[in-house]
């Protein structure tokens, strides 16, 4: 265990934040969460008994509130975002305001010596037909979500003393659950409805458990000088599955009716494979496979 730090987590009441924050507290860090609480704050209830925990309700675009929240912290974990293709499509103006303007506002008020970890996304690769994406693959996002994250990522890397993590598709149990993530959604439908219809079953993507996402952030804080000022894909090749494979994996845990539909499309046309070799060379590996993650969800 390295030095304990004072850490600000923007969007810390969300899906990743409510998994990360307890882990940071457990390691002895002092944690301040800055969040609009758009989805409530109940994911952080287990943290409220902790003396080193502070929750500030605020907007990433409110300069005054953000300035206060940044005061005295040594590291920032920037999770505040409108996440995912559907949410961004539904509220495009908000997506632009939070994901791009909010990141710009954060950079304007941050001290250059405050370490900054940014949660980016594999969605910025868009649709990659025939080859495996690595960190040098050109950004070619095809959704508003991908576009806004790509813009924020570029600003943050240019600002320096920062790390951008391009995460695989998240899944798994968190104190603030999300059911719109594909493995979570498939498992929920299997358990609740005992049936599931899958479109474009051959589409592939890579998954990462939410606890492994949190672990990657702890890893960055501990190994800062070794990994800073760079971008990393975060996930594992062994977690690359087609939608059909995910649905069949759920079937190993739940008995349900599975139907593959010939018609109908998934608007988020992600279908690619990614290399995670760069972060692995630095010493980070994921630990939770699809089967274990699904059994926890069930």
């Amino acid at each position: 265990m390295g030095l304990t730090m004072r850490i600000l987590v923007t969007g810390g009441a969300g899906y990743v934040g409510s998994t990360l924050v307890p882990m940071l507290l457990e390691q002895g860090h002092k944690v301040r969460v800055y969040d609009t609480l758009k989805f409530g704050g109940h994911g952080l209830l287990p943290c409220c008994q902790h003396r080193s925990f502070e929750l500030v309700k605020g907007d990433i675009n409110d300069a005054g509130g953000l300035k206060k929240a940044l005061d005295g912290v040594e590291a920032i974990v920037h999770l505040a975002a409108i996440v995912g293709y559907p949410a961004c499509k539904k509220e495009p103006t908000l997506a632009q305001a939070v994901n791009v303007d909010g990141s710009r506002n954060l950079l304007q008020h941050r001290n250059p010596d405050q370490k900054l970890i940014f949660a980016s996304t594999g969605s910025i690769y868009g649709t990659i037909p025939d080859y495996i994406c690595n960190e040098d693959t050109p950004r070619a996002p095809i959704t508003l979500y991908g576009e806004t994250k790509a813009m924020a990522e570029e600003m943050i890397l240019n600002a320096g003393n920062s790390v951008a993590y391009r995460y695989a598709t998240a899944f798994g149990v968190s104190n603030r659950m999300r059911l719109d993530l594909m493995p979570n959604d498939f498992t929920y439908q299997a358990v609740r409805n005992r049936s599931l219809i899958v479109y474009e079953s051959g589409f592939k993507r890579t998954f990462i458990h939410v606890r492994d996402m949190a672990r990657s952030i702890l890893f960055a804080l501990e190994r800062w000088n070794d990994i800073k000022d760079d971008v990393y894909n975060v996930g594992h090749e062994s977690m690359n599955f087609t939608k059909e494979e995910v649905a069949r994996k759920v079937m190993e845990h739940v008995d349900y009716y599975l139907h593959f539909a010939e018609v109908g499309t998934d608007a988020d046309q992600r279908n690619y494979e990614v290399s995670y070799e760069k972060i692995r060379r630095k010493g980070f590996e994921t630990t939770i496979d699809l089967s274990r993650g699904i059994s926890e969800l069930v």
Side-chain angles (χ1 to χ4, degrees), residues 218-250:
L218 299 176
F219 174 81
L221 292 168
E222 281 162 22
R223 304 281 296 275
W224 190 253
N225 290 332
D226 191 27
I227 74 160
K228 69 173 180 181
D229 296 326
D230 216 341
V231 58
Y232 301 89
N233 293 324
V234 185
H236 198 281
E237 291 82 356
S238 65
M239 293 283 281
N240 193 282
F241 296 102
T242 62
K243 292 166 85 170
E244 175 171 357
E245 286 166 338
V246 174
R248 293 201 186 281
K249 187 63 79 177
V250 174

Side-chain angles (χ1 to χ4, degrees), residues 95-137:
Q96 178 72 28
V98 175
N99 298 4
V100 182
D101 305 342
S103 300
R104 188 179 294 119
N105 194 37
L106 177 65
L107 288 171
Q108 274 166 358
H109 295 100
R110 154 210 183 209
N111 256 331
D113 59 356
Q114 290 175 315
K115 304 172 173 72
L116 176 55
I117 300 169
F118 176 58
S120 189
T121 169
S123 290
I124 69 175
Y125 293 123
T127 313
I128 297 290
D130 329 320
Y131 58 91
I132 294 184
C133 307
N134 64 28
E135 288 77 0
D136 302 321
T137 301

Side-chain angles (χ1 to χ4, degrees), residues 268-279:
D268 186 0
Q269 296 276 323
R270 273 178 294 174
N271 182 24
Y272 50 77
E273 290 193 46
V274 176
S275 161
Y276 299 98
E277 195 190 335
K278 185 172 170 182
I279 196 158

